[in-house]
Short mmCIF file of all heavy atoms in Angstrom, two decimals:
data_model
loop_
_atom_site.label_atom_id
_atom_site.label_comp_id
_atom_site.label_asym_id
_atom_site.label_seq_id
_atom_site.Cartn_x
_atom_site.Cartn_y
_atom_site.Cartn_z
N LEU A 48 87.22 102.92 106.08
CA LEU A 48 86.12 101.97 105.95
C LEU A 48 86.21 101.22 104.62
O LEU A 48 85.98 100.01 104.55
CB LEU A 48 84.79 102.72 106.06
CG LEU A 48 83.56 101.89 106.45
CD1 LEU A 48 83.67 101.43 107.91
CD2 LEU A 48 82.29 102.72 106.28
N ALA A 49 86.56 101.94 103.58
CA ALA A 49 86.73 101.30 102.27
C ALA A 49 87.87 100.30 102.28
O ALA A 49 87.78 99.22 101.68
CB ALA A 49 86.96 102.38 101.21
N ILE A 50 88.95 100.64 102.97
CA ILE A 50 90.08 99.72 103.08
C ILE A 50 89.66 98.46 103.82
O ILE A 50 90.02 97.33 103.42
CB ILE A 50 91.26 100.41 103.81
CG1 ILE A 50 91.94 101.41 102.87
CG2 ILE A 50 92.27 99.38 104.32
CD1 ILE A 50 93.01 102.24 103.52
N ALA A 52 86.76 97.19 103.85
CA ALA A 52 85.88 96.43 102.96
C ALA A 52 86.67 95.76 101.84
O ALA A 52 86.24 94.73 101.31
CB ALA A 52 84.81 97.35 102.36
N LEU A 53 87.82 96.32 101.49
CA LEU A 53 88.64 95.76 100.42
C LEU A 53 89.27 94.43 100.81
O LEU A 53 89.39 93.52 99.99
CB LEU A 53 89.75 96.74 100.03
CG LEU A 53 89.45 97.75 98.94
CD1 LEU A 53 90.65 98.67 98.76
CD2 LEU A 53 89.12 97.07 97.62
N ILE A 124 89.03 96.26 90.49
CA ILE A 124 87.63 96.42 90.89
C ILE A 124 86.99 97.60 90.16
O ILE A 124 85.85 97.51 89.70
CB ILE A 124 87.51 96.60 92.42
CG1 ILE A 124 87.95 95.31 93.13
CG2 ILE A 124 86.08 96.95 92.82
CD1 ILE A 124 87.92 95.38 94.63
N LEU A 142 82.03 88.38 91.49
CA LEU A 142 82.17 88.04 92.90
C LEU A 142 83.05 89.02 93.65
O LEU A 142 82.71 89.45 94.76
CB LEU A 142 82.74 86.62 93.04
CG LEU A 142 82.86 86.07 94.47
CD1 LEU A 142 81.51 86.05 95.15
CD2 LEU A 142 83.49 84.69 94.45
N ARG A 143 84.20 89.41 93.08
CA ARG A 143 85.12 90.31 93.78
C ARG A 143 84.47 91.67 94.03
O ARG A 143 84.53 92.20 95.14
CB ARG A 143 86.40 90.49 92.96
CG ARG A 143 87.31 91.59 93.49
CD ARG A 143 88.64 91.62 92.77
NE ARG A 143 89.55 90.63 93.35
CZ ARG A 143 90.83 90.52 92.96
NH1 ARG A 143 91.31 91.30 92.00
NH2 ARG A 143 91.61 89.64 93.53
N LEU A 144 83.82 92.21 93.03
CA LEU A 144 83.14 93.50 93.18
C LEU A 144 81.98 93.38 94.16
O LEU A 144 81.81 94.24 95.04
CB LEU A 144 82.64 93.99 91.83
CG LEU A 144 81.77 95.25 91.81
CD1 LEU A 144 82.52 96.44 92.41
CD2 LEU A 144 81.30 95.57 90.40
N ALA A 145 81.20 92.33 94.03
CA ALA A 145 80.03 92.14 94.91
C ALA A 145 80.46 91.99 96.36
O ALA A 145 79.81 92.54 97.26
CB ALA A 145 79.24 90.91 94.46
N ASN A 146 81.54 91.28 96.60
CA ASN A 146 82.03 91.11 97.98
C ASN A 146 82.45 92.43 98.59
O ASN A 146 82.17 92.72 99.76
CB ASN A 146 83.19 90.12 98.02
CG ASN A 146 82.74 88.68 97.88
OD1 ASN A 146 81.56 88.37 98.07
ND2 ASN A 146 83.66 87.79 97.54
N TYR A 147 83.18 93.24 97.79
CA TYR A 147 83.60 94.56 98.29
C TYR A 147 82.40 95.43 98.64
O TYR A 147 82.34 96.02 99.72
CB TYR A 147 84.48 95.26 97.26
CG TYR A 147 84.67 96.74 97.56
CD1 TYR A 147 85.38 97.16 98.68
CD2 TYR A 147 84.08 97.72 96.75
CE1 TYR A 147 85.53 98.51 98.98
CE2 TYR A 147 84.23 99.07 97.04
CZ TYR A 147 84.95 99.46 98.16
OH TYR A 147 85.07 100.80 98.45
N LEU A 148 81.44 95.50 97.73
CA LEU A 148 80.27 96.35 97.95
C LEU A 148 79.45 95.86 99.14
O LEU A 148 78.98 96.67 99.95
CB LEU A 148 79.40 96.39 96.70
CG LEU A 148 80.04 97.04 95.46
CD1 LEU A 148 79.10 96.92 94.26
CD2 LEU A 148 80.38 98.50 95.72
N GLU A 149 79.30 94.55 99.28
CA GLU A 149 78.52 94.02 100.40
C GLU A 149 79.19 94.30 101.73
O GLU A 149 78.53 94.70 102.69
CB GLU A 149 78.33 92.51 100.22
CG GLU A 149 77.48 91.89 101.34
CD GLU A 149 77.29 90.41 101.17
OE1 GLU A 149 77.87 89.82 100.23
OE2 GLU A 149 76.56 89.81 101.99
N ARG A 150 80.51 94.12 101.78
CA ARG A 150 81.23 94.40 103.03
C ARG A 150 81.16 95.87 103.37
O ARG A 150 81.00 96.25 104.54
CB ARG A 150 82.69 93.93 102.93
CG ARG A 150 82.85 92.42 103.03
CD ARG A 150 84.29 92.04 103.35
NE ARG A 150 85.19 92.41 102.27
CZ ARG A 150 85.58 91.57 101.31
NH1 ARG A 150 85.12 90.33 101.30
NH2 ARG A 150 86.42 91.96 100.37
N PHE A 151 81.28 96.73 102.35
CA PHE A 151 81.21 98.17 102.62
C PHE A 151 79.84 98.55 103.18
O PHE A 151 79.74 99.28 104.16
CB PHE A 151 81.51 98.98 101.36
CG PHE A 151 81.47 100.47 101.61
CD1 PHE A 151 82.58 101.13 102.12
CD2 PHE A 151 80.32 101.21 101.37
CE1 PHE A 151 82.55 102.50 102.38
CE2 PHE A 151 80.28 102.57 101.63
CZ PHE A 151 81.39 103.21 102.14
N ARG A 152 78.80 98.06 102.55
CA ARG A 152 77.44 98.37 103.04
C ARG A 152 77.25 97.88 104.46
O ARG A 152 76.66 98.59 105.30
CB ARG A 152 76.39 97.74 102.12
CG ARG A 152 76.31 98.33 100.72
CD ARG A 152 75.04 97.88 100.01
NE ARG A 152 74.92 96.44 99.93
CZ ARG A 152 75.31 95.70 98.89
NH1 ARG A 152 75.87 96.29 97.84
NH2 ARG A 152 75.15 94.39 98.89
N LEU A 178 78.84 105.36 96.78
CA LEU A 178 79.82 105.90 97.71
C LEU A 178 81.04 105.00 97.78
O LEU A 178 82.19 105.48 97.78
CB LEU A 178 79.20 106.05 99.10
CG LEU A 178 80.15 106.49 100.23
CD1 LEU A 178 80.76 107.85 99.94
CD2 LEU A 178 79.41 106.51 101.58
N ALA A 179 80.82 103.69 97.83
CA ALA A 179 81.93 102.73 97.91
C ALA A 179 82.84 102.84 96.70
O ALA A 179 84.07 102.79 96.83
CB ALA A 179 81.36 101.32 98.03
N ILE A 180 82.26 103.02 95.53
CA ILE A 180 83.06 103.14 94.30
C ILE A 180 83.80 104.48 94.29
O ILE A 180 84.97 104.57 93.89
CB ILE A 180 82.17 103.00 93.06
CG1 ILE A 180 81.59 101.59 92.97
CG2 ILE A 180 82.95 103.35 91.80
CD1 ILE A 180 82.64 100.50 92.86
N LEU A 182 84.88 106.10 96.84
CA LEU A 182 86.00 105.99 97.77
C LEU A 182 87.15 105.20 97.16
O LEU A 182 88.32 105.51 97.40
CB LEU A 182 85.53 105.35 99.07
CG LEU A 182 84.60 106.22 99.93
CD1 LEU A 182 83.96 105.40 101.05
CD2 LEU A 182 85.36 107.40 100.52
N LEU A 183 86.81 104.18 96.36
CA LEU A 183 87.86 103.44 95.66
C LEU A 183 88.64 104.36 94.72
O LEU A 183 89.87 104.27 94.62
CB LEU A 183 87.26 102.29 94.86
CG LEU A 183 87.05 100.94 95.55
CD1 LEU A 183 86.69 99.89 94.51
CD2 LEU A 183 88.25 100.52 96.36
N LEU A 186 90.97 106.37 96.74
CA LEU A 186 92.12 105.58 97.16
C LEU A 186 93.12 105.45 96.02
O LEU A 186 94.34 105.54 96.24
CB LEU A 186 91.67 104.20 97.63
CG LEU A 186 91.02 104.12 99.01
CD1 LEU A 186 90.47 102.72 99.27
CD2 LEU A 186 92.00 104.52 100.11
#
Side-chain angles (χ1 to χ4, degrees):
L48 201 68
I50 285 174
L53 270 177
I124 294 178
L142 184 59
R143 170 173 277 185
L144 174 59
N146 284 343
Y147 166 67
L148 295 176
E149 182 180 4
R150 284 197 295 264
F151 181 83
R152 293 194 303 265
L178 174 61
I180 294 300
L182 290 168
L183 273 190
L186 284 173

